[in-house]
């Protein structure tokens, strides 16, 4: 007997700014797994700026195309996974897309540990936390006493980057939009200073917040913030290139940041791009560290949970506009 | 008794393109060293694109100012170096500037080995050779079978980079201006292919010359060539940022390469800027390798020697226009 499967389809690829109108909700049928496949039920959909980047063209995954169920990762429950060790009810992270039920290759699933709240499996112990950990520590290589600047600092990754940098003895400056977010960063999360990119004269603000220059810049945004930080880098500084959200939601940019590659030479900078799966071999240690810091109360976890599959498009549009603090996800079930 | 000291003064800082008119030749007096100082006599002045970059502002050295003797390094002979182990006649590399005689701090001088031709101390066994060696091997990390692209490939550094990459088992593509330089790279130096940036459609040319994409790009030029190579990089590719000569001789650029930092993330690239002195601790091994390769005939050395101090300005202007093949220097004495 077929059971309903609500699906959100990417109805058309955005040419400029993404809106909820680019999506539509359809009713499909609950699919049946074939050999090597599992049927999973979506619990929490992860929302990430990368969802928007996938619409621009091939990245580390193929470009999305119109008319298909919108792609995305989620915390999901195994319904059936024949020929595997997975049991019904097991929690997994899966590339479900935005729908109630999905068929996924069994070999790409791994059972997640039972921990509470389970949403942490999508935030601090999921892609966001591991991205922050590896990007900062492996690409940024911060040393005690150095100055770390992170952009999109109130976001899922940035809010963790800043806290880990503090744990490592660094001076931490967060770049975020609006004075209220800035207060949240400094008063709640322990950042040393915040810079409001919407308030203008970013160069002067950064100079005041990081008077000794920047040793590590964790970049989530690209564009003008990247350029301004590049000019403020110290000799032998490191830039962890994690994303370029300022460039995702609009036309293709006509030009890039000034100072590339000239300042990279004169300041002897290292820029390194990464995605979280590049560090799979170091994942266990990373999770142990993150779990310890959370358990000790030294790493605060903020989650922004939206209710209802039907609200996923608006939730992504809001994320791209900077609505969220910490990890945004959609509770489907 | 005062002896004449011809000096070339940077008469005015160029606002756009540099010309020989920005300099003038004056007659000074032979200076006398004070405590901790040595008097040296210039033999061969090293010409480098960096000479022009120093006129743009502070780099890894202070910006040049108008009215001073033009800065530059040279192979020089010690005339007197009181309170040191240096003897008259010893060869040193010194920051003499463009003049017959210079006073330099004794502690910054090191006696060079006696080898013939001594001009190799400025080319393959000097800054050019060491820059090629460290930039390629330390920043580029080429592996056998990978594709290495180098820009300004017919220049002092590029011509050595390409040959070392061949020694390491790579496929090597040189970017240079003009078909004749291209033939020289492939027929004389053993490059696998050459690309003529003056012939247009660099993207298509690169695609033909490096059909498998680029694993290591050694960048000497910045600008459009940098951008085109960035788009052709393979996943986990490395870019050694050595210079940006396309950006030195003109107005400050209004924008930088597209794809920064977006492509750095999606392709998981590493970009690293360097100057040769960053690797002083590995200098001995580098020189041993370079000497072995030259002695075995596996690394060809090309030098472009201009006669006469008075011709130094025109020689630098010509270097910026791409006149030279291999290391350009001026024989003063």
């Amino acid at each position: 007997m077929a059971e309903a499967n609500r699906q959100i389809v990417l109805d058309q690829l955005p040419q400029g700014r993404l809106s909820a109108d680019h999506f539509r909700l359809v009713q499909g049928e609950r699919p049946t797994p074939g050999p090597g496949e599992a049927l999973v039920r979506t619990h929490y959909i992860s929302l990430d700026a990368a969802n928007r980047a996938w619409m621009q063209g091939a990245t580390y995954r193929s470009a999305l195309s119109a008319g298909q169920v919108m792609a995305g990762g989620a915390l999901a429950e195994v319904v059936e996974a024949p020929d595997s060790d997975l049991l019904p009810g097991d929690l997994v992270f899966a590339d479900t897309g935005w729908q109630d039920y999905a068929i996924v290759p069994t070999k790409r699933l791994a059972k997640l540990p039972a921990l509470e709240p389970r949403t942490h499996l999508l935030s601090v112990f999921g892609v966001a936390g591991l991205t922050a950990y590896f990007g900062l520590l492996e690409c940024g290589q911060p040393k005690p006493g150095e100055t770390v600047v992170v952009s999109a600092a109130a976001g899922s990754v940035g809010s963790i980057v800043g806290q880990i940098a503090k744990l490592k003895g660094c001076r931490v400056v967060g770049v975020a939009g609006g004075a209220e977010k800035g207060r949240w960063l400094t008063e709640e999360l322990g950042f040393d200073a915040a810079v409001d990119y919407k308030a203008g004269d970013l160069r002067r603000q950064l100079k005041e917040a990081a008077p000794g220059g920047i040793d590590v810049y964790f970049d989530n945004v690209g564009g003008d913030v990247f350029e301004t930080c590049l000019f403020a880098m110290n000799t032998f500084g490191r830039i962890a290139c994690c994303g370029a959200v300022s460039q995702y939601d609009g036309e293709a940019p006509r030009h890039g940041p000034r100072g590339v590659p000239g300042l990279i030479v004169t300041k002897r900078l290292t820029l390194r791009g990464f995605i979280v799966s590049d560090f799979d071999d170091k994942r266990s240690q990373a999770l142990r560290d993150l779990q310890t810091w959370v358990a000790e109360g030294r790493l605060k976890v903020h989650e922004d949970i939206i209710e209802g599959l039907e609200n996923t498009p608006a939730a992504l549009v809001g994320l791209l506009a900077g609505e969220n603090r910490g990890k945004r996800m959609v509770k489907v079930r």
Side-chain angles (χ1 to χ4, degrees), chain A:
Chain A
M1 193 188 78
E3 193 181 328
N5 182 24
R6 295 174 303 159
Q7 301 178 306
I8 294 177
V9 166
L10 180 59
D11 203 32
Q12 48 176 315
L13 285 167
Q15 294 308 310
R17 195 168 291 275
L18 182 72
S19 81
D21 295 339
H22 291 101
F23 301 90
R24 68 189 149 93
L25 181 68
V26 303
Q27 294 288 342
E29 284 185 6
R30 194 175 105 162
T32 306
E37 293 180 338
L39 174 68
V40 301
R41 181 163 192 174
T42 308
H43 284 213
Y44 290 91
I45 292 172
S46 176
L47 289 180
D48 302 277
N51 298 153
R52 178 65 182 86
W54 301 340
M55 300 176 190
Q56 289 187 313
T59 54
Y60 47 88
R61 65 180 288 158
S62 308
L64 304 187
S65 52
Q68 298 184 324
V69 174
M70 175 62 194
L75 187 65
E77 174 194 346
V78 173
V79 179
E80 47 178 318
D83 310 320
S84 86
D85 294 338
L86 292 166
L87 298 175
D90 281 352
L91 281 183
V92 293
F93 184 77
D95 202 358
T96 58
W98 293 3
Q99 55 187 343
D100 286 312
Y101 291 95
I103 298 292
V104 288
T106 307
K107 66 169 187 246
R108 294 180 64 180
L109 298 178
K111 182 180 172 178
L112 294 172
L115 57 78
E116 288 299 333
R118 60 174 62 182
T119 51
H120 280 19
L121 293 166
L122 274 195
S123 61
V124 68
F125 306 136
V127 169
L130 291 166
T131 298
Y133 182 97
F134 291 126
L136 178 67
L137 301 181
E138 296 289 330
C139 301
Q141 304 266 346
K143 291 185 265 298
E146 287 191 327
T147 295
V148 174
V149 173
V150 57
S151 52
S156 60
V157 173
S159 60
I160 298 175
V161 167
Q163 292 184 80
I164 298 177
K166 282 304 298 178
L167 284 167
K168 296 294 181 182
C170 298
R171 174 174 173 81
V172 177
V173 177
V175 182
E180 207 182 336
K181 272 188 190 165
R183 274 192 299 274
W184 182 67
L185 293 173
T186 53
E187 292 172 12
E188 296 291 319
L189 300 189
F191 283 49
D192 295 290
V195 159
D196 178 2
Y197 73 86
K198 293 180 175 170
D201 205 345
L202 188 58
R203 195 186 66 81
R204 185 190 51 76
Q205 284 192 70
L206 256 183
K207 194 155 191 170
E208 285 172 13
I214 304 172
D215 300 298
V216 177
Y217 172 50
F218 190 110
D219 181 49
N220 286 307
V221 301
D224 291 341
V225 175
F226 179 95
E227 179 177 297
T228 306
C229 287
L230 184 65
F231 277 80
M233 293 299 293
N234 289 332
T235 306
F236 298 116
R238 289 81 67 199
I239 301 182
C241 297
C242 182
V245 65
S246 74
Q247 309 297 301
Y248 295 162
D249 198 22
E251 312 278 339
R254 281 187 308 248
H255 58 76
R258 288 179 305 139
V260 174
L263 290 177
I264 299 176
V265 181
T266 54
K267 293 170 182 267
R268 281 72 76 65
L269 305 180
T270 300
L271 283 67
R272 181 167 169 197
F274 73 101
I275 66 172
V276 67
S277 56
D278 298 342
F279 300 99
D280 275 350
D281 58 325
K282 298 182 176 174
R283 193 184 170 94
S284 305
Q285 180 61 49
L287 285 173
R288 273 196 298 277
D289 285 346
L290 291 166
Q291 281 161 359
T292 302
W293 294 332
V294 171
E296 293 174 351
R298 301 169 75 198
L299 177 53
K300 294 182 184 172
V301 186
H302 286 264
E303 293 169 347
D304 172 14
I305 302 173
I306 309 288
E307 298 271 342
L309 178 68
E310 67 280 9
N311 294 319
T312 316
L316 177 59
V317 170
L319 177 134
L320 295 168
E323 274 178 11
N324 59 303
R325 288 188 192 169
K327 176 66 190 174
R328 173 165 280 196
M329 59 187 89
V330 173
K331 186 175 184 182
V332 175
R333 171 148 206 253

